[in-house]
Amino acid sequence: MARRTKRLWTDEEKRSICFQTTAPGVSVAQVARRYAVNANLIFKWLRDPRFAPDPASALPRPEEARFLPVEIVAETRSTVAAPAAENHIEIELAGGHRMRISGGYDPEALARLIRGLSV
């Protein structure tokens, strides 16, 4: 029977392996299989501050929930603009996002919303 030898990982290898777990859509189990190690060993390294990836260096995940800035202003009385002839507006924003507005709307509020989303 062949004798198993214990694999010794350098600190840099451990940091590199731990950093790979921060990639979007990648699980610890996938990284563990890639390097033929037990996932529990990687979880142990992730708890060690020497090897844990720096949260600032990780790329933000696009599907992650984020807070958007909101400004609360005093309500002002303004005349409601007449809706468009077809009663809806469709606006395509950068990044492939699409906004549809149906019914009556305040053009100034809509302009503020678009400016806020395009930042």
Side-chain angles (χ1 to χ4, degrees):
M1 181 173 212
R3 185 171 181 195
R4 262 190 195 182
T5 58
K6 185 175 180 179
R7 171 73 162 98
L8 298 176
W9 299 92
T10 66
D11 288 354
E12 189 54 42
E13 288 173 320
K14 292 176 186 178
R15 271 190 285 283
S16 172
I17 291 170
C18 289
F19 182 74
Q20 291 177 36
T21 63
T22 63
V26 176
S27 69
V28 172
Q30 289 171 323
V31 176
R33 281 192 298 272
R34 188 178 305 146
Y35 290 95
V37 298
N38 191 308
N40 290 328
L41 180 60
I42 296 178
F43 280 116
K44 180 181 175 186
W45 293 343
L46 286 168
R47 286 190 303 271
D48 190 331
R50 294 177 297 165
F51 312 123
D54 180 21
S57 65
L59 296 173
R61 296 181 177 161
E63 67 276 0
E64 245 181 81
R66 292 176 282 214
F67 287 103
L68 296 176
V70 174
E71 181 182 347
I72 299 174
V73 296
E75 185 177 344
T76 58
R77 297 280 178 193
S78 64
T79 59
V80 178
E86 293 182 29
N87 211 19
H88 76 275
I89 296 175
E90 187 169 319
I91 301 169
E92 223 173 292
L93 300 170
H97 294 79
R98 186 172 294 173
M99 183 187 329
R100 290 187 183 125
I101 296 96
S102 298
Y105 61 93
D106 178 356
E108 292 175 12
L110 182 59
R112 284 194 307 269
L113 176 63
I114 293 171
R115 278 194 298 274
L117 292 175
S118 63
V119 172

